[in-house]
Amino acid sequence: MNRRPRRNHTPGFKAKVALAAIKGDRTLAQLAEQFDVHANQITSWKAQLEGGAADVFGPGGGHGAAPPAVDVKSLHAKIGELTCQYASNCDPLFASNRDPSGRDGLGLST
């Protein structure tokens, strides 16, 4: 007996099948025959869609993954450090003429 090779369904296909199941105008058996998947699989995809549908309307919904948190303080420190290195390489007097307050002359603290 030959087995059918394992199939990987795209998220778009799963959503299409789950939405058809939620509509309720056809039975699971009809949908299973139409889309050539098992009725249990349709039930699982339908439950996943219903469980995750509220996230679409929540904070940051519909944008996929949340943007990563950015540590602004460390980025400003790195900018100041690189600016100081660049200015020191361009102007040899820059390092000796630094403001004692710790400012690099460009308004960035190091």
Side-chain angles (χ1 to χ4, degrees), residues 1-100:
M1 183 168 140
N2 292 336
R3 296 184 72 188
R4 182 185 337 190
R6 185 180 177 102
R7 294 180 292 171
N8 294 322
H9 300 289
T10 65
F13 176 78
K14 293 177 185 180
K16 183 171 136 181
V17 173
L19 285 172
I22 288 174
K23 283 183 186 176
D25 57 351
R26 287 175 292 213
T27 65
L28 281 176
Q30 291 170 334
L31 292 173
E33 185 179 341
Q34 177 186 350
F35 292 109
D36 194 28
V37 293
H38 197 276
N40 290 345
Q41 187 67 69
I42 295 173
T43 304
S44 173
W45 291 342
K46 178 182 173 186
Q48 284 180 334
L49 179 63
E50 290 173 338
D55 295 339
V56 173
F57 299 104
H63 296 281
V70 177
D71 184 18
V72 177
K73 232 178 189 176
S74 66
L75 291 176
H76 280 269
K78 186 66 175 176
I79 290 170
E81 176 186 338
L82 293 173
T83 303
C84 185
Q85 287 176 358
Y86 174 75
S88 295
N89 289 339
C90 293
D91 183 6
L93 299 176
F94 182 80
S96 61
N97 292 335
R98 287 195 62 193
D99 184 16

